[in-house]
Amino acid sequence: MEKFEDSQDAMARVALLRTQIEHHNELYHTQDAPEIPDADFDVLLVELRRLEAEHPDLVTSDSPTQQVGASTINTFAEVVHQLPMMSLDNAFDTDELTAWADRVRRRLGDEASEPAWVCELKFDGLAVSLRYEDGVLVQAATRGNGKVGEDVTPNVRTIAGIPQELALGAPPVLEVRGEVYMGLQAFADLNARQAAAEEKTFVNPRNTAAGSLRQKDAKVTATRNLSFWAYALGEMIDGPTLASHHEMLTWLGTLGFPVNQKTKRFENFSAVIDHVNHVEKIRHDLDYEIDGVVVKVDALGLQTGLGSTARAPRWAMAYKLPPEERTTTLLDIEVSIGAGGQATPFARLEPVFVGGSTIAAATLHNADQVAVKDVRPGDTVIVRKAGDVIPEVVGPVLADRPASRKPWRFPTECPTCGVALVRPEGEAATFCPNHACPAQVRGRLEHFVSRGAMDIEGFGEQRVDLFVTEGLLSDVSGIFMLDFDRIAAFEGFGELSLNNLSAAIETAKQKPLGRLLFGLRIPHVGTTVADLIADACGDLDGLERATQEDLEAVEGLGPIIAASVYGWLRLDHNQELLQRLRVAGLNLNAPQASGDQQEQTLEGFSVVVTGTLETMSRSDAKAAILVRGGKSPGSVSKATTALVAGAGGGSKLGKAETLGVPVLNEIQFVELLATGQLPA
Ligand code: IVH
């Protein structure tokens, strides 16, 4: 970050940052239409704070660092908060969080014992304050600038989870604060309804929740299925004496407020650190979005002692999870040619850290998607990467685009071989029609050697590239006829490495027919279908003899797959390829072609596999299920018998738990295969 020697420069930068921050505050809090992701906003605020710390003479009481939210309020009646609605300070890593805990301990005095901490999720919605008089909801307000908010009472009354009346024992005046949010299912349903009505879909649940709450017509809010979590108190008259934050949450629960069950209390801070790391891993298993963990000092007496700054309490800290949306520069749009000839446009990006990793490229899918998003080289774009989902360019920041920038045009020729690209009528995809296009050859080879296919160890992308460039390989059969004398002359190929490569290729020759069929990239043939075909036909000769009707009759294959396989086998270059593979001595049999049929232990069972298993690949696990008469679909449903979960199994685990589907580890899976019995 820049360091300003000259206080004139610092003053100018501070002024610019304040203008930008106020602009984005207004867009976020008042218009519910931010131009930039929260993480980019945080970067501006952090820089302003740092400059103000370095130049205390520049601090002013109206600086955004001293304020909460936006100052402009319109449309709704004003509500003056009896107690200010504060913001939270942020920690962007565990060191900052630990430094905050140290500050807390110092303020409490060295002689004080370690305070207890409460960790709540940081829900990504908007804060509201609910006022109850004699147990009846009389007013609901947004946070606004922290001192004055907006009256959204009619809108809040439409939220099913917010009690209109409290259980007996509620004090005469009670203000409960918490977050209104839109759950992921509600968001998906809303977008499905929008799409069905050919209306614009919404970008993310947080802005949609904010926009839905701040509707002039509460009937619109009522259709948006908003939810609420309570997490704080405002004004309270004649309430019970509460000693701690967690006691307060329990009490709010008894009064009828939704309180989040993932809240945890810890006696020492190392457990807090473990917990925030844990939340980072499970954030995508939740059915609502969070952007961090709020750590609070539990004892209310200690909270009072610690007090607040102008903006935020000293007794709480928001630990921010790595951002999932950032802005960056779209350097260029390029087109890559896949193994099947598909021409896919992708964004080349100024590298940006988002969703836990640095992203320098993101697919733009097809020509229509580029047109819909209207992203242009040079644009500032919003990039999103959430969990296992592939990185996505959400759209351009139009405010940053000069008027002269022209829309991007899809190329007319293949960038690799120069042959004219074609877009079949009615299809979204564009293709390079040249089967010999070097990009396609590389793609087919990379797929063939990959883990799910022939799984040839030591045969990665780089080696494929080298062998193709050096003219040693032009199709997958060439792998089994490689000229090892020539390879020995290349850099990085010592005796051991050559022996290993040769052994891996020999092993691959013995892979069952299903793997080979999958490796050949026949359109519509994934691992499961490949195994079904192999099992049904027994061997390659049987497959070549099969008519289209025979293939269609195989359970699990429809007319589209049957036509695709039948047609593929009849193309001359594929016939020649299969002949070369025969000559190379590959195993062309399905595992059970020898006659001893596997015991059908899994007949009628539906077993889903997720994550990385230790002793077998996922496709081997699926094949093992299929040959025992079971099914192995790609997703968990009520009909699933069991979920086999290896390392890193993400959202499927959460779904299985929700639906009560048994989750098996690898040992239990092997037992299930052998016995057809689920563990007790
Ligand atoms: S406590 C005085 N707890 O985060 C402290 N806030 O960035 C008041 N938020 O304005 C806030 N989850 O809208 C608190 N468990 C949680 C929260 C939470 C989300 C929001 C809230 C607040 C913002 C500050």
Side-chain angles (χ1 to χ4, degrees):
M1 235 182 244
E2 208 169 345
K3 186 123 184 113
F4 294 99
E5 299 303 337
D6 183 345
S7 74
Q8 281 302 105
D9 291 345
M11 195 189 295
R13 181 73 189 149
V14 162
L16 177 67
L17 285 168
R18 284 182 186 158
T19 317
Q20 290 178 334
I21 290 168
E22 275 157 16
H23 168 70
H24 292 305
N25 251 337
E26 154 76 14
L27 290 175
Y28 184 92
H29 289 287
T30 310
Q31 300 184 23
D32 304 319
E35 260 167 15
I36 57 168
D38 295 0
D40 284 39
F41 177 84
D42 287 342
V43 169
L44 298 175
L45 200 62
V46 164
E47 188 187 351
L48 179 59
R49 249 194 227 127
R50 181 184 60 85
L51 282 173
E52 288 181 347
E54 282 165 14
H55 304 269
D57 49 314
L58 295 181
V59 180
T60 56
S61 63
D62 64 353
S63 168
T65 58
Q66 312 297 311
Q67 315 277 317
V68 174
S71 53
T72 5
I73 290 178
N74 46 33
T75 317
F76 298 90
E78 291 188 355
V79 173
V80 176
H81 298 302
Q82 295 306 314
L83 291 175
M85 284 185 81
M86 302 214 126
S87 188
L88 290 169
D89 284 334
N90 295 321
F92 294 99
D93 55 40
T94 49
D95 287 347
E96 288 183 13
L97 191 61
T98 306
W100 165 72
D102 290 341
R103 286 198 299 279
V104 166
R105 284 187 205 98
R106 264 200 308 277
R107 275 192 173 264
L108 292 177
D110 285 343
E111 67 284 356
S113 54
E114 173 74 7
W117 312 90
V118 171
C119 292
E120 282 169 2
L121 299 177
K122 187 170 187 307
F123 314 108
D124 208 1
L126 72 160
V128 295
S129 184
L130 311 173
R131 188 177 174 87
Y132 292 82
E133 288 176 2
D134 297 324
V136 177
L137 176 66
V138 292
Q139 190 172 60
T142 64
R143 187 176 67 169
N145 64 9
K147 296 189 184 82
V148 183
E150 299 158 310
D151 187 336
V152 287
T153 314
N155 312 66
V156 162
R157 287 198 197 282
T158 70
I159 300 175
I162 293 184
Q164 302 283 327
E165 282 184 27
L166 301 181
L168 278 181
V173 172
L174 174 69
E175 252 177 53
V176 173
R177 290 165 178 188
E179 201 84 351
V180 166
Y181 68 96
M182 184 176 277
L184 291 175
Q185 192 58 51
F187 180 67
D189 291 347
L190 172 62
N191 267 347
R193 290 201 301 274
Q194 292 289 110
E198 298 192 357
E199 298 277 351
K200 197 173 147 299
T201 54
F202 294 95
V203 175
N204 68 41
R206 161 25 264 179
N207 296 336
T208 315
S212 301
L213 187 71
R214 299 172 73 261
Q215 290 286 327
K216 279 197 196 133
D217 181 357
K219 285 202 210 77
V220 178
T221 313
T223 66
R224 295 293 171 82
N225 202 359
L226 296 173
S227 306
F228 177 76
W229 296 122
Y231 51 62
L233 287 184
E235 193 187 13
M236 176 161 76
I237 298 177
D238 284 346
T241 312
L242 299 163
S244 65
H245 185 77
H246 81 271
E247 198 185 314
M248 183 265 289
L249 291 175
T250 311
W251 177 63
L252 289 179
T254 62
L255 287 180
F257 290 97
V259 282
N260 188 272
Q261 293 304 308
K262 300 257 182 234
T263 299
K264 294 261 178 318
R265 181 176 182 276
F266 298 108
E267 305 270 346
N268 68 63
F269 206 74
S270 64
V272 170
I273 300 291
D274 290 346
H275 180 71
V276 300
N277 289 328
H278 166 72
V279 169
E280 198 164 322
K281 293 204 188 82
I282 59 111
R283 76 187 285 188
H284 294 289
D285 298 340
L286 303 168
D287 50 16
Y288 42 85
E289 288 201 332
I290 59 167
D291 62 341
V293 177
V294 184
V295 187
K296 300 176 177 175
V297 172
D298 190 28
L300 298 183
L302 296 184
Q303 288 188 3
T304 311
L306 288 161
S308 304
T309 66
R311 215 185 138 260
R314 290 198 192 86
W315 45 263
M317 181 57 83
Y319 171 81
K320 288 294 209 84
L321 293 175
E324 301 198 315
E325 275 188 17
R326 292 295 306 270
T327 55
T328 188
T329 306
L330 174 61
L331 301 174
D332 205 355
I333 300 178
E334 294 175 21
V335 168
S336 74
I337 304 296
Q342 190 147 346
T344 307
F346 68 96
R348 192 146 314 277
L349 303 161
E350 183 72 48
V352 60
F353 188 75
V354 59
S357 57
T358 299
I359 306 298
T363 178
L364 291 164
H365 303 288
N366 57 46
D368 293 346
Q369 283 289 313
V370 185
V372 167
K373 290 187 171 156
D374 185 23
V375 280
R376 307 177 186 188
D379 277 352
T380 302
V381 290
I382 298 173
V383 177
R384 185 176 165 82
K385 163 120 186 17
D388 300 339
V389 182
I390 55 168
E392 185 198 3
V393 176
V394 180
V397 177
L398 289 174
D400 284 0
R401 178 190 285 170
S404 57
R405 194 167 289 148
K406 299 267 171 304
W408 181 78
R409 301 241 165 277
F410 208 94
T412 50
E413 286 161 7
C414 170
T416 307
C417 70
V419 168
L421 295 174
V422 288
R423 180 170 174 182
E425 200 156 316
E427 280 198 34
T430 306
F431 293 91
C432 162
N434 176 13
H435 187 76
C437 169
Q440 293 192 43
V441 171
R442 280 193 185 85
R444 288 196 294 268
L445 283 160
E446 280 164 17
H447 173 79
F448 189 81
V449 300
S450 69
R451 213 167 154 218
M454 299 298 269
D455 193 10
I456 309 186
E457 216 168 299
F459 213 129
E461 236 172 80
Q462 276 176 356
R463 286 190 169 173
V464 166
D465 194 43
L466 174 72
F467 297 158
V468 173
T469 311
E470 293 295 331
L472 266 81
L473 266 185
S474 58
D475 75 13
V476 299
S477 69
I479 292 172
F480 304 99
M481 298 155 200
L482 276 175
D483 182 345
F484 277 87
D485 290 340
R486 272 192 66 198
I487 297 175
F490 297 150
E491 208 178 310
F493 284 90
E495 201 179 318
L496 182 65
S497 138
L498 281 179
N499 286 343
N500 287 345
L501 185 62
S502 158
I505 293 171
E506 281 310 307
T507 309
K509 282 187 180 173
Q510 304 312 319
K511 296 264 152 146
L513 179 62
R515 289 293 199 98
L516 175 63
L517 293 179
F518 174 64
L520 291 172
R521 278 200 100 263
I522 306 170
H524 302 292
V525 178
T527 45
T528 308
V529 167
D531 287 338
L532 289 174
I533 295 172
D535 284 346
C537 299
D539 58 20
L540 185 64
D541 289 340
L543 172 58
E544 290 192 311
R545 277 196 308 272
T547 63
Q548 196 166 323
E549 291 70 35
D550 291 339
L551 290 171
E552 231 179 290
V554 176
E555 191 166 333
L557 270 60
I560 295 175
I561 299 174
S564 170
V565 175
Y566 187 81
W568 189 93
L569 285 164
R570 269 141 199 92
L571 289 177
D572 284 346
H573 59 249
N574 292 334
Q575 276 293 317
E576 286 157 20
L577 172 65
L578 291 177
Q579 191 49 31
R580 286 195 294 277
L581 291 171
R582 271 197 180 91
V583 172
L586 266 76
N587 171 30
L588 302 172
N589 297 314
Q592 270 71 54
S594 54
D596 52 341
Q597 242 242 330
Q598 274 288 345
E599 212 184 314
Q600 299 294 284
T601 44
L602 300 188
E603 210 165 323
F605 283 16
S606 169
V607 183
V608 178
V609 185
T610 187
T612 309
L613 303 179
E614 268 173 35
T615 59
M616 61 185 102
S617 70
R618 232 182 0 244
S619 51
D620 282 341
K622 285 181 170 203
I625 296 163
L626 293 173
V627 299
R628 286 165 180 80
K631 290 203 177 100
S632 186
S635 59
V636 174
S637 73
K638 269 190 252 159
T640 307
T641 316
L643 172 71
V644 178
S651 57
K652 288 194 182 105
L653 262 175
K655 182 126 189 241
E657 273 159 25
T658 315
L659 294 174
V661 169
V663 178
L664 308 188
N665 63 27
E666 218 164 318
I667 296 169
Q668 292 167 322
F669 174 47
V670 173
E671 245 181 77
L672 173 73
L673 289 173
T675 62
Q677 302 288 321
L678 287 168

